[in-house]
Amino acid sequence: MISGIIDKIQHMGASTLHSFRRLGWASIFLLQVIASGTGIFIRPGLLIKQLYSVGVQTLIIIVVAGLFVGMVMSLQSYYALVDFGAEDSVGVMVALSLLRELGPVVTALLFAGRAGSALTAEIGLMKATEQLSGMEMMAVNPMQRVIAPRFFAGVISMPLLATIFSAVGVLGGYLVAVELLGLDYGAFWSQSQAKVDLYLDLYNGIIKSIVFGVIVSWIAVFEGYDCIPTSEGLGQATTRTVVHGSLAILFMDFVLTALMFTK
Amino acid sequence: MDDILVKIRDLHFSRGHRKIFDGLSLDIPRQGITAIMGPSGSGKTTLLKLIGGQLQPDQGSIEVDGLNVHQLSTKKLFALRKRMGMLFQSGALLTDLTVFENVAYPLREHTKLNEAMIRQLVLLKLNAVGLRGAADLMPSELSGGMSRRVALARAISLDPMMIMYDEPFTGQDPISMGVLVSLISELNSALNICSVVVSHDVPETLSISDYAHIISDGKVVESGNPDVLKNSQSAWTHQFVHGEADGPVPFHYSAKPVLEEFFE
């Protein structure tokens, strides 16, 4: 019985060490990917192709999600504020919550699920079919040709997608508040304009989405590059991208919010 | 300019706890087809990866054309790799490019030739493997044998001094097998280069090889030209080359004697 407990403790220790070793390898990998970014200036076509498949193809899910999130926010805020007679502040509620929190975070979660898992699967499959190995043997650096364009495409797309999410969300909120619930058009927009600050809200939201973009893209390309090249290993890698990516986003959201918004 | 292209001396390599090479030494001549054969798991594919510099040995040296592969800088290693062609077991074609684009890939990456020139070269290479008409197909539309031939066309696109074939005959139907066997042989004599064929398909491989090494348990068991190996004095080599069911590698897994098992 004692040996069973000791085995469990040993196993816990071994897996903790393994996680730290993996984190270290992932950090070295990130530095290598960023260093390989110079290849993009030689071949910008690769980056543009990836921007299309990573950014543009995620656009539809972001727009639809943004619309519905904005509409729900508006509806819920109305019912919360109407008891205090503060229903004119619905516009402020919707705009601030989208720009500061929901925009970057929900976009990053959707991005991790759609684009992140696609990146992991693509790179993992290239590894499993020996395409990355084949490129190395043809004296082509797979970091420069395959990994770096995908990573930078993710980093560039995220803030753009988050901004579109927030914009569409505010529009959705406007539709519900003014058209559906009958609030005053002028009150909605003028209150938002007064209370939303360029530096505090908009820029902070963009900084958050850039940080989330780096984290999600990093996890996605690393899991793909490091996966076990079997069908089972690939499935585990894509699951890890979505799970670890989502948890990392939520954790960093807390850290960044604490840094940016506490007075 | 000496006769031996690849010199492997005292190679030691382990994967985790498993020792794959234990003091392996062999030579690969500059011209002709050299076969490296051995039972499954003897590390033949690993040997090709070590020669190409994708893996680092624990001990020992590998010299290709006078250069020690593992002491080269990344830039020099890439320059050396341009002179080596490698054919992977699965073909390893880039799945998002057409057959034409796949064969043109090394030319576009490493040369500054114009499009017209590249088109001529690609079509010539595809013609050499008999697939000039398939230039616009995607890799997913090709059969296994056809994708290996495209991969071969890609491997020769930069006119390398050496081509390494990783199990080229595995899982092929008789016609594709015949096509690949004759292609390897003809290309080698037409281009006058070194071909290294790693395989355990003994009859096909020995029919085209000029020289062969048999590897087992991390060392070279025997080397020589195909006739010498077929008439070898060693019982193990004889069993391996002729595909006999019983010999030094026994048919029966170790078990109790028959009388004891059946008549308790």
PDB file of all heavy atoms in Angstrom, chain A residues 43 49 126 129-141 145 150, chain B residues 52 54 78 81-82 88 90 92-96 105-106 109-110 154 164:
ATOM      1  N   ARG A  43       9.771  36.053 -48.815  1.00  0.00           N
ATOM      2  CA  ARG A  43       8.638  35.408 -49.469  1.00  0.00           C
ATOM      3  C   ARG A  43       7.342  35.834 -48.812  1.00  0.00           C
ATOM      4  O   ARG A  43       6.753  35.064 -48.055  1.00  0.00           O
ATOM      5  CB  ARG A  43       8.787  33.879 -49.364  1.00  0.00           C
ATOM      6  CG  ARG A  43       9.132  33.228 -50.674  1.00  0.00           C
ATOM      7  CD  ARG A  43       9.589  31.802 -50.444  1.00  0.00           C
ATOM      8  NE  ARG A  43      11.010  31.679 -50.670  1.00  0.00           N
ATOM      9  CZ  ARG A  43      11.563  31.402 -51.840  1.00  0.00           C
ATOM     10  NH1 ARG A  43      10.806  31.232 -52.889  1.00  0.00           N
ATOM     11  NH2 ARG A  43      12.863  31.325 -51.971  1.00  0.00           N
ATOM     12  N   LYS A  49      -0.922  34.050 -47.875  1.00  0.00           N
ATOM     13  CA  LYS A  49      -1.745  32.843 -48.017  1.00  0.00           C
ATOM     14  C   LYS A  49      -2.264  32.386 -46.649  1.00  0.00           C
ATOM     15  O   LYS A  49      -3.426  32.001 -46.498  1.00  0.00           O
ATOM     16  CB  LYS A  49      -0.895  31.757 -48.669  1.00  0.00           C
ATOM     17  CG  LYS A  49      -1.667  30.563 -49.092  1.00  0.00           C
ATOM     18  CD  LYS A  49      -0.840  29.664 -50.014  1.00  0.00           C
ATOM     19  CE  LYS A  49      -1.584  28.349 -50.177  1.00  0.00           C
ATOM     20  NZ  LYS A  49      -0.757  27.176 -50.123  1.00  0.00           N
ATOM     21  N   MET A 126       1.590  17.264 -41.601  1.00  0.00           N
ATOM     22  CA  MET A 126       2.805  17.407 -42.409  1.00  0.00           C
ATOM     23  C   MET A 126       3.953  16.657 -41.749  1.00  0.00           C
ATOM     24  O   MET A 126       4.801  16.079 -42.424  1.00  0.00           O
ATOM     25  CB  MET A 126       3.181  18.879 -42.563  1.00  0.00           C
ATOM     26  CG  MET A 126       2.290  19.624 -43.523  1.00  0.00           C
ATOM     27  SD  MET A 126       2.764  21.337 -43.693  1.00  0.00           S
ATOM     28  CE  MET A 126       3.884  21.249 -45.052  1.00  0.00           C
ATOM     29  N   THR A 129       3.335  12.774 -42.288  1.00  0.00           N
ATOM     30  CA  THR A 129       3.590  12.284 -43.636  1.00  0.00           C
ATOM     31  C   THR A 129       4.999  12.619 -44.101  1.00  0.00           C
ATOM     32  O   THR A 129       5.288  12.600 -45.292  1.00  0.00           O
ATOM     33  CB  THR A 129       2.585  12.872 -44.645  1.00  0.00           C
ATOM     34  OG1 THR A 129       2.564  14.288 -44.496  1.00  0.00           O
ATOM     35  CG2 THR A 129       1.202  12.324 -44.421  1.00  0.00           C
ATOM     36  N   GLU A 130       5.883  12.953 -43.169  1.00  0.00           N
ATOM     37  CA  GLU A 130       7.301  13.199 -43.454  1.00  0.00           C
ATOM     38  C   GLU A 130       7.552  14.368 -44.391  1.00  0.00           C
ATOM     39  O   GLU A 130       8.632  14.466 -44.981  1.00  0.00           O
ATOM     40  CB  GLU A 130       7.975  11.933 -44.013  1.00  0.00           C
ATOM     41  CG  GLU A 130       8.082  10.821 -42.982  1.00  0.00           C
ATOM     42  CD  GLU A 130       8.831   9.630 -43.514  1.00  0.00           C
ATOM     43  OE1 GLU A 130       8.406   9.047 -44.525  1.00  0.00           O
ATOM     44  OE2 GLU A 130       9.872   9.298 -42.905  1.00  0.00           O
ATOM     45  N   GLN A 131       6.573  15.274 -44.544  1.00  0.00           N
ATOM     46  CA  GLN A 131       6.799  16.417 -45.432  1.00  0.00           C
ATOM     47  C   GLN A 131       7.826  17.364 -44.834  1.00  0.00           C
ATOM     48  O   GLN A 131       8.649  17.932 -45.562  1.00  0.00           O
ATOM     49  CB  GLN A 131       5.495  17.176 -45.672  1.00  0.00           C
ATOM     50  CG  GLN A 131       4.542  16.445 -46.603  1.00  0.00           C
ATOM     51  CD  GLN A 131       3.266  17.215 -46.800  1.00  0.00           C
ATOM     52  OE1 GLN A 131       3.291  18.411 -47.069  1.00  0.00           O
ATOM     53  NE2 GLN A 131       2.151  16.544 -46.634  1.00  0.00           N
ATOM     54  N   LEU A 132       7.777  17.564 -43.480  1.00  0.00           N
ATOM     55  CA  LEU A 132       8.745  18.461 -42.845  1.00  0.00           C
ATOM     56  C   LEU A 132      10.148  17.884 -42.971  1.00  0.00           C
ATOM     57  O   LEU A 132      11.112  18.597 -43.259  1.00  0.00           O
ATOM     58  CB  LEU A 132       8.385  18.671 -41.367  1.00  0.00           C
ATOM     59  CG  LEU A 132       7.070  19.385 -41.085  1.00  0.00           C
ATOM     60  CD1 LEU A 132       6.854  19.539 -39.590  1.00  0.00           C
ATOM     61  CD2 LEU A 132       7.028  20.746 -41.744  1.00  0.00           C
ATOM     62  N   SER A 133      10.242  16.556 -42.772  1.00  0.00           N
ATOM     63  CA  SER A 133      11.526  15.877 -42.910  1.00  0.00           C
ATOM     64  C   SER A 133      12.042  16.003 -44.338  1.00  0.00           C
ATOM     65  O   SER A 133      13.223  16.251 -44.579  1.00  0.00           O
ATOM     66  CB  SER A 133      11.326  14.402 -42.559  1.00  0.00           C
ATOM     67  OG  SER A 133      12.461  13.846 -42.032  1.00  0.00           O
ATOM     68  N   GLY A 134      11.117  15.823 -45.308  1.00  0.00           N
ATOM     69  CA  GLY A 134      11.487  15.924 -46.713  1.00  0.00           C
ATOM     70  C   GLY A 134      12.006  17.304 -47.053  1.00  0.00           C
ATOM     71  O   GLY A 134      12.981  17.460 -47.798  1.00  0.00           O
ATOM     72  N   MET A 135      11.364  18.350 -46.467  1.00  0.00           N
ATOM     73  CA  MET A 135      11.815  19.718 -46.722  1.00  0.00           C
ATOM     74  C   MET A 135      13.213  19.926 -46.173  1.00  0.00           C
ATOM     75  O   MET A 135      14.054  20.551 -46.817  1.00  0.00           O
ATOM     76  CB  MET A 135      10.892  20.718 -46.040  1.00  0.00           C
ATOM     77  CG  MET A 135       9.607  20.953 -46.751  1.00  0.00           C
ATOM     78  SD  MET A 135       8.623  22.048 -45.745  1.00  0.00           S
ATOM     79  CE  MET A 135       8.266  23.263 -46.922  1.00  0.00           C
ATOM     80  N   GLU A 136      13.479  19.374 -44.961  1.00  0.00           N
ATOM     81  CA  GLU A 136      14.818  19.510 -44.387  1.00  0.00           C
ATOM     82  C   GLU A 136      15.849  18.881 -45.308  1.00  0.00           C
ATOM     83  O   GLU A 136      16.924  19.429 -45.525  1.00  0.00           O
ATOM     84  CB  GLU A 136      14.884  18.798 -43.034  1.00  0.00           C
ATOM     85  CG  GLU A 136      14.424  19.649 -41.888  1.00  0.00           C
ATOM     86  CD  GLU A 136      14.532  18.918 -40.563  1.00  0.00           C
ATOM     87  OE1 GLU A 136      15.062  17.804 -40.523  1.00  0.00           O
ATOM     88  OE2 GLU A 136      14.075  19.494 -39.582  1.00  0.00           O
ATOM     89  N   MET A 137      15.516  17.695 -45.867  1.00  0.00           N
ATOM     90  CA  MET A 137      16.473  17.013 -46.727  1.00  0.00           C
ATOM     91  C   MET A 137      16.649  17.721 -48.058  1.00  0.00           C
ATOM     92  O   MET A 137      17.630  17.518 -48.750  1.00  0.00           O
ATOM     93  CB  MET A 137      16.039  15.560 -47.000  1.00  0.00           C
ATOM     94  CG  MET A 137      16.355  14.605 -45.891  1.00  0.00           C
ATOM     95  SD  MET A 137      18.029  14.713 -45.270  1.00  0.00           S
ATOM     96  CE  MET A 137      18.967  14.116 -46.650  1.00  0.00           C
ATOM     97  N   MET A 138      15.669  18.588 -48.437  1.00  0.00           N
ATOM     98  CA  MET A 138      15.847  19.383 -49.656  1.00  0.00           C
ATOM     99  C   MET A 138      16.531  20.702 -49.339  1.00  0.00           C
ATOM    100  O   MET A 138      16.500  21.625 -50.142  1.00  0.00           O
ATOM    101  CB  MET A 138      14.474  19.680 -50.286  1.00  0.00           C
ATOM    102  CG  MET A 138      13.856  18.502 -50.971  1.00  0.00           C
ATOM    103  SD  MET A 138      12.491  19.013 -51.987  1.00  0.00           S
ATOM    104  CE  MET A 138      11.217  19.286 -50.802  1.00  0.00           C
ATOM    105  N   ALA A 139      17.108  20.800 -48.142  1.00  0.00           N
ATOM    106  CA  ALA A 139      17.810  22.017 -47.705  1.00  0.00           C
ATOM    107  C   ALA A 139      16.896  23.230 -47.667  1.00  0.00           C
ATOM    108  O   ALA A 139      17.303  24.341 -47.958  1.00  0.00           O
ATOM    109  CB  ALA A 139      19.032  22.284 -48.591  1.00  0.00           C
ATOM    110  N   VAL A 140      15.605  22.990 -47.316  1.00  0.00           N
ATOM    111  CA  VAL A 140      14.671  24.088 -47.117  1.00  0.00           C
ATOM    112  C   VAL A 140      14.338  24.108 -45.628  1.00  0.00           C
ATOM    113  O   VAL A 140      14.062  23.067 -45.053  1.00  0.00           O
ATOM    114  CB  VAL A 140      13.381  23.855 -47.942  1.00  0.00           C
ATOM    115  CG1 VAL A 140      12.308  24.835 -47.563  1.00  0.00           C
ATOM    116  CG2 VAL A 140      13.691  23.946 -49.413  1.00  0.00           C
ATOM    117  N   ASN A 141      14.383  25.278 -45.008  1.00  0.00           N
ATOM    118  CA  ASN A 141      14.156  25.360 -43.570  1.00  0.00           C
ATOM    119  C   ASN A 141      12.652  25.367 -43.280  1.00  0.00           C
ATOM    120  O   ASN A 141      11.983  26.346 -43.581  1.00  0.00           O
ATOM    121  CB  ASN A 141      14.811  26.645 -43.047  1.00  0.00           C
ATOM    122  CG  ASN A 141      14.791  26.714 -41.545  1.00  0.00           C
ATOM    123  OD1 ASN A 141      14.046  25.988 -40.891  1.00  0.00           O
ATOM    124  ND2 ASN A 141      15.616  27.571 -40.988  1.00  0.00           N
ATOM    125  N   ARG A 145       9.601  28.300 -43.839  1.00  0.00           N
ATOM    126  CA  ARG A 145       8.606  28.147 -44.899  1.00  0.00           C
ATOM    127  C   ARG A 145       7.228  27.792 -44.395  1.00  0.00           C
ATOM    128  O   ARG A 145       6.223  28.111 -45.008  1.00  0.00           O
ATOM    129  CB  ARG A 145       9.014  27.019 -45.863  1.00  0.00           C
ATOM    130  CG  ARG A 145      10.200  27.302 -46.683  1.00  0.00           C
ATOM    131  CD  ARG A 145       9.916  28.255 -47.821  1.00  0.00           C
ATOM    132  NE  ARG A 145      11.151  28.503 -48.518  1.00  0.00           N
ATOM    133  CZ  ARG A 145      12.047  29.400 -48.156  1.00  0.00           C
ATOM    134  NH1 ARG A 145      11.823  30.153 -47.125  1.00  0.00           N
ATOM    135  NH2 ARG A 145      13.158  29.537 -48.826  1.00  0.00           N
ATOM    136  N   ARG A 150       2.666  30.793 -40.467  1.00  0.00           N
ATOM    137  CA  ARG A 150       1.435  30.504 -39.752  1.00  0.00           C
ATOM    138  C   ARG A 150       1.378  31.239 -38.416  1.00  0.00           C
ATOM    139  O   ARG A 150       0.335  31.774 -38.023  1.00  0.00           O
ATOM    140  CB  ARG A 150       1.281  28.994 -39.553  1.00  0.00           C
ATOM    141  CG  ARG A 150       0.875  28.298 -40.827  1.00  0.00           C
ATOM    142  CD  ARG A 150       1.044  26.795 -40.745  1.00  0.00           C
ATOM    143  NE  ARG A 150       0.479  26.129 -41.891  1.00  0.00           N
ATOM    144  CZ  ARG A 150       1.047  26.056 -43.079  1.00  0.00           C
ATOM    145  NH1 ARG A 150       2.208  26.617 -43.288  1.00  0.00           N
ATOM    146  NH2 ARG A 150       0.454  25.435 -44.077  1.00  0.00           N
TER     147      ARG A 150
ATOM    148  N   GLY B  52      22.253  12.019 -43.583  1.00  0.00           N
ATOM    149  CA  GLY B  52      21.738  13.309 -44.021  1.00  0.00           C
ATOM    150  C   GLY B  52      21.864  14.394 -42.969  1.00  0.00           C
ATOM    151  O   GLY B  52      21.499  15.539 -43.206  1.00  0.00           O
ATOM    152  N   GLN B  54      20.213  14.638 -40.140  1.00  0.00           N
ATOM    153  CA  GLN B  54      19.000  14.967 -39.388  1.00  0.00           C
ATOM    154  C   GLN B  54      19.082  14.470 -37.958  1.00  0.00           C
ATOM    155  O   GLN B  54      18.356  14.941 -37.092  1.00  0.00           O
ATOM    156  CB  GLN B  54      17.774  14.342 -40.063  1.00  0.00           C
ATOM    157  CG  GLN B  54      17.373  15.074 -41.328  1.00  0.00           C
ATOM    158  CD  GLN B  54      16.103  14.512 -41.913  1.00  0.00           C
ATOM    159  OE1 GLN B  54      16.014  13.335 -42.219  1.00  0.00           O
ATOM    160  NE2 GLN B  54      15.123  15.353 -42.073  1.00  0.00           N
ATOM    161  N   PHE B  78      23.264  22.632 -45.227  1.00  0.00           N
ATOM    162  CA  PHE B  78      22.243  22.832 -46.242  1.00  0.00           C
ATOM    163  C   PHE B  78      22.862  22.749 -47.637  1.00  0.00           C
ATOM    164  O   PHE B  78      22.270  22.206 -48.562  1.00  0.00           O
ATOM    165  CB  PHE B  78      21.534  24.183 -46.034  1.00  0.00           C
ATOM    166  CG  PHE B  78      20.352  24.086 -45.107  1.00  0.00           C
ATOM    167  CD1 PHE B  78      20.376  23.238 -44.012  1.00  0.00           C
ATOM    168  CD2 PHE B  78      19.214  24.832 -45.328  1.00  0.00           C
ATOM    169  CE1 PHE B  78      19.291  23.137 -43.154  1.00  0.00           C
ATOM    170  CE2 PHE B  78      18.121  24.739 -44.476  1.00  0.00           C
ATOM    171  CZ  PHE B  78      18.157  23.893 -43.391  1.00  0.00           C
ATOM    172  N   ARG B  81      23.286  19.177 -48.389  1.00  0.00           N
ATOM    173  CA  ARG B  81      22.018  18.488 -48.636  1.00  0.00           C
ATOM    174  C   ARG B  81      21.496  18.750 -50.041  1.00  0.00           C
ATOM    175  O   ARG B  81      20.752  17.938 -50.594  1.00  0.00           O
ATOM    176  CB  ARG B  81      20.959  18.940 -47.629  1.00  0.00           C
ATOM    177  CG  ARG B  81      21.117  18.264 -46.294  1.00  0.00           C
ATOM    178  CD  ARG B  81      19.961  18.572 -45.416  1.00  0.00           C
ATOM    179  NE  ARG B  81      20.137  18.033 -44.085  1.00  0.00           N
ATOM    180  CZ  ARG B  81      19.546  18.517 -43.008  1.00  0.00           C
ATOM    181  NH1 ARG B  81      18.729  19.548 -43.128  1.00  0.00           N
ATOM    182  NH2 ARG B  81      19.742  17.974 -41.832  1.00  0.00           N
ATOM    183  N   LYS B  82      21.875  19.916 -50.624  1.00  0.00           N
ATOM    184  CA  LYS B  82      21.427  20.177 -51.990  1.00  0.00           C
ATOM    185  C   LYS B  82      22.026  19.177 -52.961  1.00  0.00           C
ATOM    186  O   LYS B  82      21.506  18.961 -54.044  1.00  0.00           O
ATOM    187  CB  LYS B  82      21.826  21.591 -52.426  1.00  0.00           C
ATOM    188  CG  LYS B  82      20.994  22.676 -51.782  1.00  0.00           C
ATOM    189  CD  LYS B  82      21.420  24.036 -52.301  1.00  0.00           C
ATOM    190  CE  LYS B  82      21.325  25.054 -51.175  1.00  0.00           C
ATOM    191  NZ  LYS B  82      21.930  26.332 -51.539  1.00  0.00           N
ATOM    192  N   PHE B  88      11.749   9.291 -49.655  1.00  0.00           N
ATOM    193  CA  PHE B  88      11.170   8.735 -48.439  1.00  0.00           C
ATOM    194  C   PHE B  88      10.216   7.600 -48.771  1.00  0.00           C
ATOM    195  O   PHE B  88       9.705   7.486 -49.872  1.00  0.00           O
ATOM    196  CB  PHE B  88      10.409   9.809 -47.660  1.00  0.00           C
ATOM    197  CG  PHE B  88      11.305  10.823 -47.025  1.00  0.00           C
ATOM    198  CD1 PHE B  88      11.712  11.942 -47.717  1.00  0.00           C
ATOM    199  CD2 PHE B  88      11.750  10.648 -45.728  1.00  0.00           C
ATOM    200  CE1 PHE B  88      12.547  12.863 -47.134  1.00  0.00           C
ATOM    201  CE2 PHE B  88      12.582  11.565 -45.138  1.00  0.00           C
ATOM    202  CZ  PHE B  88      12.992  12.673 -45.840  1.00  0.00           C
ATOM    203  N   SER B  90       7.181   7.165 -47.954  1.00  0.00           N
ATOM    204  CA  SER B  90       5.836   7.560 -48.346  1.00  0.00           C
ATOM    205  C   SER B  90       5.857   8.565 -49.476  1.00  0.00           C
ATOM    206  O   SER B  90       4.825   9.080 -49.856  1.00  0.00           O
ATOM    207  CB  SER B  90       5.132   8.192 -47.147  1.00  0.00           C
ATOM    208  OG  SER B  90       5.922   9.254 -46.676  1.00  0.00           O
ATOM    209  N   ALA B  92       6.564  11.589 -49.440  1.00  0.00           N
ATOM    210  CA  ALA B  92       6.669  12.888 -48.762  1.00  0.00           C
ATOM    211  C   ALA B  92       6.491  14.056 -49.717  1.00  0.00           C
ATOM    212  O   ALA B  92       7.219  15.040 -49.645  1.00  0.00           O
ATOM    213  CB  ALA B  92       7.998  13.003 -48.006  1.00  0.00           C
ATOM    214  N   LEU B  93       5.533  13.977 -50.637  1.00  0.00           N
ATOM    215  CA  LEU B  93       5.242  15.110 -51.511  1.00  0.00           C
ATOM    216  C   LEU B  93       4.474  16.153 -50.725  1.00  0.00           C
ATOM    217  O   LEU B  93       3.758  15.827 -49.786  1.00  0.00           O
ATOM    218  CB  LEU B  93       4.386  14.658 -52.702  1.00  0.00           C
ATOM    219  CG  LEU B  93       5.016  13.658 -53.656  1.00  0.00           C
ATOM    220  CD1 LEU B  93       4.008  13.262 -54.706  1.00  0.00           C
ATOM    221  CD2 LEU B  93       6.247  14.243 -54.309  1.00  0.00           C
ATOM    222  N   LEU B  94       4.613  17.428 -51.116  1.00  0.00           N
ATOM    223  CA  LEU B  94       3.870  18.486 -50.440  1.00  0.00           C
ATOM    224  C   LEU B  94       2.443  18.462 -50.978  1.00  0.00           C
ATOM    225  O   LEU B  94       2.212  18.664 -52.164  1.00  0.00           O
ATOM    226  CB  LEU B  94       4.539  19.844 -50.709  1.00  0.00           C
ATOM    227  CG  LEU B  94       5.965  19.912 -50.172  1.00  0.00           C
ATOM    228  CD1 LEU B  94       6.660  21.166 -50.630  1.00  0.00           C
ATOM    229  CD2 LEU B  94       5.962  19.868 -48.659  1.00  0.00           C
ATOM    230  N   THR B  95       1.484  18.217 -50.071  1.00  0.00           N
ATOM    231  CA  THR B  95       0.132  17.888 -50.533  1.00  0.00           C
ATOM    232  C   THR B  95      -0.644  19.070 -51.085  1.00  0.00           C
ATOM    233  O   THR B  95      -1.656  18.876 -51.758  1.00  0.00           O
ATOM    234  CB  THR B  95      -0.688  17.284 -49.386  1.00  0.00           C
ATOM    235  OG1 THR B  95      -0.476  18.065 -48.211  1.00  0.00           O
ATOM    236  CG2 THR B  95      -0.259  15.868 -49.102  1.00  0.00           C
ATOM    237  N   ASP B  96      -0.195  20.301 -50.814  1.00  0.00           N
ATOM    238  CA  ASP B  96      -0.966  21.419 -51.339  1.00  0.00           C
ATOM    239  C   ASP B  96      -0.440  21.925 -52.679  1.00  0.00           C
ATOM    240  O   ASP B  96      -0.935  22.923 -53.203  1.00  0.00           O
ATOM    241  CB  ASP B  96      -1.016  22.562 -50.313  1.00  0.00           C
ATOM    242  CG  ASP B  96       0.359  22.919 -49.793  1.00  0.00           C
ATOM    243  OD1 ASP B  96       1.257  22.058 -49.821  1.00  0.00           O
ATOM    244  OD2 ASP B  96       0.549  24.056 -49.339  1.00  0.00           O
ATOM    245  N   TYR B 105       9.851  22.584 -56.921  1.00  0.00           N
ATOM    246  CA  TYR B 105      10.131  23.205 -55.623  1.00  0.00           C
ATOM    247  C   TYR B 105      11.621  23.402 -55.342  1.00  0.00           C
ATOM    248  O   TYR B 105      12.044  24.520 -55.030  1.00  0.00           O
ATOM    249  CB  TYR B 105       9.458  22.366 -54.521  1.00  0.00           C
ATOM    250  CG  TYR B 105       9.379  23.029 -53.178  1.00  0.00           C
ATOM    251  CD1 TYR B 105       8.426  24.002 -52.917  1.00  0.00           C
ATOM    252  CD2 TYR B 105      10.235  22.676 -52.146  1.00  0.00           C
ATOM    253  CE1 TYR B 105       8.332  24.597 -51.689  1.00  0.00           C
ATOM    254  CE2 TYR B 105      10.144  23.271 -50.904  1.00  0.00           C
ATOM    255  CZ  TYR B 105       9.192  24.225 -50.678  1.00  0.00           C
ATOM    256  OH  TYR B 105       9.098  24.815 -49.448  1.00  0.00           O
ATOM    257  N   PRO B 106      12.472  22.351 -55.435  1.00  0.00           N
ATOM    258  CA  PRO B 106      13.892  22.583 -55.160  1.00  0.00           C
ATOM    259  C   PRO B 106      14.519  23.572 -56.148  1.00  0.00           C
ATOM    260  O   PRO B 106      15.382  24.353 -55.772  1.00  0.00           O
ATOM    261  CB  PRO B 106      14.540  21.202 -55.317  1.00  0.00           C
ATOM    262  CG  PRO B 106      13.435  20.238 -55.277  1.00  0.00           C
ATOM    263  CD  PRO B 106      12.230  20.929 -55.777  1.00  0.00           C
ATOM    264  N   GLU B 109      13.510  27.049 -55.043  1.00  0.00           N
ATOM    265  CA  GLU B 109      14.132  27.461 -53.786  1.00  0.00           C
ATOM    266  C   GLU B 109      15.611  27.761 -53.936  1.00  0.00           C
ATOM    267  O   GLU B 109      16.124  28.683 -53.333  1.00  0.00           O
ATOM    268  CB  GLU B 109      13.977  26.343 -52.738  1.00  0.00           C
ATOM    269  CG  GLU B 109      12.574  26.107 -52.264  1.00  0.00           C
ATOM    270  CD  GLU B 109      12.032  27.262 -51.472  1.00  0.00           C
ATOM    271  OE1 GLU B 109      12.775  27.796 -50.630  1.00  0.00           O
ATOM    272  OE2 GLU B 109      10.877  27.650 -51.694  1.00  0.00           O
ATOM    273  N   HIS B 110      16.318  26.932 -54.711  1.00  0.00           N
ATOM    274  CA  HIS B 110      17.776  27.000 -54.676  1.00  0.00           C
ATOM    275  C   HIS B 110      18.427  27.542 -55.930  1.00  0.00           C
ATOM    276  O   HIS B 110      19.644  27.694 -55.964  1.00  0.00           O
ATOM    277  CB  HIS B 110      18.352  25.597 -54.397  1.00  0.00           C
ATOM    278  CG  HIS B 110      17.914  25.045 -53.081  1.00  0.00           C
ATOM    279  ND1 HIS B 110      18.087  25.728 -51.908  1.00  0.00           N
ATOM    280  CD2 HIS B 110      17.286  23.906 -52.759  1.00  0.00           C
ATOM    281  CE1 HIS B 110      17.596  25.011 -50.917  1.00  0.00           C
ATOM    282  NE2 HIS B 110      17.102  23.903 -51.391  1.00  0.00           N
ATOM    283  N   ARG B 154      11.552  14.572 -58.149  1.00  0.00           N
ATOM    284  CA  ARG B 154      11.930  15.705 -57.313  1.00  0.00           C
ATOM    285  C   ARG B 154      13.333  15.532 -56.751  1.00  0.00           C
ATOM    286  O   ARG B 154      14.116  16.477 -56.698  1.00  0.00           O
ATOM    287  CB  ARG B 154      10.920  15.857 -56.177  1.00  0.00           C
ATOM    288  CG  ARG B 154      11.165  17.071 -55.309  1.00  0.00           C
ATOM    289  CD  ARG B 154      10.115  17.210 -54.236  1.00  0.00           C
ATOM    290  NE  ARG B 154      10.271  16.223 -53.197  1.00  0.00           N
ATOM    291  CZ  ARG B 154       9.514  16.174 -52.097  1.00  0.00           C
ATOM    292  NH1 ARG B 154       8.557  17.059 -51.931  1.00  0.00           N
ATOM    293  NH2 ARG B 154       9.695  15.239 -51.197  1.00  0.00           N
ATOM    294  N   MET B 164      19.443   8.691 -51.875  1.00  0.00           N
ATOM    295  CA  MET B 164      19.193   7.671 -50.865  1.00  0.00           C
ATOM    296  C   MET B 164      17.740   7.215 -50.983  1.00  0.00           C
ATOM    297  O   MET B 164      16.839   8.032 -51.019  1.00  0.00           O
ATOM    298  CB  MET B 164      19.450   8.255 -49.473  1.00  0.00           C
ATOM    299  CG  MET B 164      20.892   8.687 -49.300  1.00  0.00           C
ATOM    300  SD  MET B 164      21.279   9.155 -47.614  1.00  0.00           S
ATOM    301  CE  MET B 164      20.743  10.852 -47.586  1.00  0.00           C
TER     302      MET B 164
END
